[in-house]
Amino acid sequence: GGTVLNNEAQQVTVSGTEVTIYSSDPGNPFTIDMSGKNDRVFNITNGASVTIRDAIVTGGAPASGDGGGIHITGNSTVTAINTRIASNAALTNGGGVYIENGTFNAVGTTIALNELNTMGGGGGVFVRDGFFNATESTIESNEAAYGGGVCVLENGVFNAVDTRISSNMAVAGGGVFVQDGFFNATETTIESNEAVLGGGVSVRENGFFNAVDTTISSNTVSQHGGGVLIVNGTFNATETSIISNRADLGGGGVYAWIGNINTSNATISSNTAGEDGGGAFCGNSAFNAIDTTISLNTADDGGGVCVEYGTFNAIDTAISLNTADDGGGVCVEYG
């Protein structure tokens, strides 16, 4: 407990075996620091199973490739308990954690202050054709071009339970970027993230984002989709709140273009757009709202909802106290 290990000459590789690495003093983590070594910290491969408990993984920065802190391939599994993966960097994808054909289980774990050195994905976490399961964990203050906190691609699956994704930055998907993959959020908070497109979440190209009892709040963008951006993807929200997000252009709460928005027993409130759709913008898309409250949103057109070449279906839904120059509640153009 408390020991700093900083004398490794190269990455620690675990291949095809089962290993547990833990602090001898529970609650007092040891540190593995690869600063200045131009390599990642851990490479887990060839079906290995690794448990890391009460640890700090830091300083990883490979001269090339993916995964600054932990790199997982070859159907391997890593379980991190009460672990901090922080201040790592990668050249391409996965500043903190990179997963391809593997699984990462995070319990009470923090992934913070990781970044990428090129226009890649997943400052904190990158998942492709693998699984990331987070419980009672935090992903914060990471940076990337796509998915400052998390990037999920090509059949990747990210399951978040009672987890916070906050203060991350990206060009697209400040908190989360999903493309041709799945992100399932339960009792999770996505807040105070920043991007050009999709401040909290960006869902693209057959991606799915499913939110249950989740809060998406106080995220900001300089263009579209303060809370959520959908481009040819699907966003499902049940018992979920999308509040106090801001877009300088369209879709303060949610912006969809060639996509689907499905809400049930949800709240879209106090969001702001500089142009269209304070609560939601639905362009060439379908917005299906059941038992949903859309209130106190602000925009130039469509304070609550702006529909352009799209469809808005509302059942048992309240649209109230929204503000706009045109269409305080709902503005429909070519829809």
Side-chain angles (χ1 to χ4, degrees):
T3 299
V4 177
L5 306 173
N6 57 6
N7 60 349
E8 294 292 340
Q10 61 184 24
Q11 67 186 13
V12 178
T13 296
V14 181
S15 176
T17 191
E18 183 175 346
V19 175
T20 299
I21 307 167
Y22 63 97
S23 171
S24 59
D25 182 6
N28 183 18
F30 68 93
T31 299
I32 298 182
D33 187 351
M34 287 291 289
S35 296
K37 307 299 173 61
N38 295 319
D39 210 343
R40 64 179 60 89
V41 183
F42 284 108
N43 180 36
I44 314 299
T45 189
N46 193 28
S49 178
V50 177
T51 299
I52 304 170
R53 188 171 66 245
D54 292 315
I56 297 172
V57 177
T58 190
S64 63
D66 306 302
I70 302 177
H71 185 271
I72 305 167
T73 57
N75 200 31
S76 300
T77 300
V78 172
T79 299
I81 303 169
N82 191 31
T83 290
R84 181 175 176 84
I85 302 167
S87 301
N88 302 282
L91 189 65
T92 47
N93 300 304
V97 179
Y98 176 90
I99 304 154
E100 184 169 8
N101 188 24
T103 300
F104 189 99
N105 302 308
V107 181
T109 285
T110 296
I111 300 172
L113 300 168
N114 303 284
E115 62 181 4
L116 300 179
N117 296 324
T118 60
M119 293 290 287
V125 177
F126 179 93
V127 186
R128 177 164 52 204
D129 194 25
F131 297 87
F132 192 107
N133 303 307
T135 303
E136 297 179 355
S137 293
T138 299
I139 300 172
E140 64 181 0
S141 302
N142 303 282
E143 294 186 28
Y146 304 96
V150 177
C151 181
V152 182
L153 300 181
E154 299 171 16
N155 298 315
V157 178
F158 194 109
N159 299 308
V161 178
D162 193 14
T163 287
R164 181 168 59 89
I165 301 172
S166 68
S167 303
N168 302 284
M169 297 181 65
V171 175
V176 177
F177 182 92
V178 185
Q179 180 173 303
D180 193 25
F182 299 85
F183 193 107
N184 304 307
T186 303
E187 297 179 0
T188 286
T189 298
I190 300 173
E191 64 181 1
S192 302
N193 301 284
E194 297 181 26
V196 176
L197 295 162
V201 178
S202 179
V203 186
R204 303 178 67 93
E205 309 303 329
N206 301 314
F208 288 82
F209 190 98
N210 304 306
V212 178
D213 196 13
T214 284
T215 299
I216 301 172
S217 68
S218 303
N219 302 285
T220 59
V221 291
S222 59
Q223 293 189 18
H224 302 295
V228 180
L229 173 79
I230 305 155
V231 179
N232 196 25
T234 299
F235 173 59
N236 300 312
T238 302
E239 297 179 355
T240 286
S241 296
I242 302 166
I243 55 176
S244 301
N245 302 283
R246 189 188 79 242
D248 288 351
L249 298 182
V254 183
Y255 182 99
W257 186 261
I258 315 177
N260 298 291
I261 309 168
N262 302 303
T263 64
S264 176
N265 194 22
T267 298
I268 301 174
S269 180
S270 302
N271 302 284
T272 303
E275 294 186 352
D276 304 324
F281 176 87
C282 181
N284 204 15
S285 304
F287 179 10
N288 302 303
I290 300 174
D291 193 19
T292 291
T293 298
I294 303 171
S295 67
L296 299 170
N297 302 286
T298 304
D300 281 350
D301 296 325
V305 179
C306 183
V307 181
E308 185 174 307
Y309 299 105
T311 303
F312 176 44
N313 301 307
I315 300 173
D316 294 332
T317 286
I319 303 171
S320 64
L321 302 175
N322 301 284
T323 304
D325 292 338
D326 293 314
V330 179
C331 178
V332 179
E333 300 176 349
Y334 317 111

